[in-house]
Amino acid sequence: MISSSGSSFDLLCCLVVLLILPFSSLSSDPDSLQDFCVANLNSSISVNGFPCKPDAEVTFNDFFFDGLSKEGDTTNVFGSKVTPGSVLEFPGLNTLGISMNRVDFAPGGLNPPHSHPRATESGVVIKGKLLVGFISTNNVFYSKVLSAGQMFVIPKGLVHFQLNVGEGKALTFTAFNSHLPGAAVLPLNLFASTPAIPNGVLTKAFQVEDNVINAIKSKFGS
């Protein structure tokens, strides 16, 4: 026979387990179970992340990356250039749950509206003056003009942008709590996808005529 105190304790244990279980799903990347796992980008095995290089093949170069030291080419339609430092460029980040980007801006340059489906973003303005903004799921727009030394944070998955509102070039470095945060760039997603999104979907979504959609697509080579 089970006592009432015993059943109360069992119920309490069940409630604690139910409360704790969801927390593991809140982290962007799973915790590492070893000192490091330098990504083997050439492996044919497909997993949620990358397999590890054998320890005997790991060298000091796997833990250092100079890809963010060079200014990006901003001669494009947006006037900005994102130089990523994710696990794809820096295999030593594999399983560590971190990565960084460098973003260069020409005068008037825009890092267009986009989102990172797998990470929260934080950033610091290194040079220039940027209007940084994001939109919540309640369609509330949060923004501020930032100067060198000031930081910002973008909650995971929310659409955001940075616009150079200064007179010269601008530069920011951004960090993510994922070794591969991903980026969904809205203009390219909507108007330059392969295959193309049907015009009927876009005309209805934006409440415009077919020729407007075609004109926008032509800007992106579609």
Side-chain angles (χ1 to χ4, degrees):
M1 178 174 164
I2 301 175
S3 68
S4 59
S5 60
S7 57
S8 297
F9 176 78
D10 291 341
L11 177 59
L12 178 60
C13 290
C14 289
L15 289 173
V16 170
V17 169
L18 288 173
L19 286 171
I20 292 175
L21 280 177
F23 286 113
S24 62
S25 66
L26 297 179
S27 58
S28 292
D29 291 339
D31 288 334
S32 179
L33 298 179
Q34 61 247 11
D35 288 344
F36 52 80
C37 174
V38 177
N40 179 1
L41 300 179
N42 297 318
S43 174
S44 60
I45 301 172
S46 178
V47 294
N48 189 21
F50 295 94
C52 309
K53 287 173 62 174
D55 284 0
E57 296 178 14
V58 173
T59 72
F60 73 93
N61 282 322
D62 290 314
F63 303 104
F64 301 93
F65 177 66
D66 65 359
L68 304 186
S69 63
K70 302 177 181 67
E71 182 175 351
D73 182 3
T74 58
T75 56
N76 55 63
V77 65
F78 296 121
S80 69
K81 174 63 176 179
V82 176
T83 304
S86 73
V87 66
L88 299 179
E89 296 79 27
F90 188 5
L93 297 179
N94 195 42
T95 75
L96 298 183
I98 56 172
S99 59
M100 293 187 71
N101 284 350
R102 171 184 178 135
V103 190
D104 289 280
F105 298 84
L110 170 71
N111 189 8
H114 62 282
S115 65
H116 302 289
R118 296 184 288 274
T120 292
E121 172 183 347
S122 64
V124 60
V125 178
I126 304 300
K127 179 175 65 177
K129 188 177 293 185
L130 292 175
L131 171 64
V132 179
F134 71 90
I135 304 95
S136 74
T137 56
N138 292 323
N139 291 324
V140 178
F141 177 48
Y142 299 89
S143 69
K144 187 173 182 178
V145 174
L146 302 180
S147 299
Q150 294 183 301
M151 289 185 64
F152 62 88
V153 64
I154 309 295
K156 179 179 177 179
L158 296 186
V159 174
H160 59 284
F161 67 87
Q162 297 100 33
L163 173 67
N164 184 359
V165 294
E167 295 183 0
K169 295 180 178 180
L171 169 65
T172 184
F173 282 94
T174 56
F176 306 91
N177 62 336
S178 170
H179 67 214
L180 191 60
V185 182
L186 268 63
L188 301 181
N189 283 176
L190 293 172
F191 299 106
S193 65
T194 304
I197 297 175
N199 274 19
V201 173
L202 297 174
T203 54
K204 193 169 187 66
F206 291 100
Q207 295 294 290
V208 296
E209 301 300 321
D210 205 60
N211 63 318
V212 175
I213 298 299
N214 288 333
I216 298 174
K217 283 184 174 182
S218 69
K219 302 291 184 180
F220 298 101
S222 297

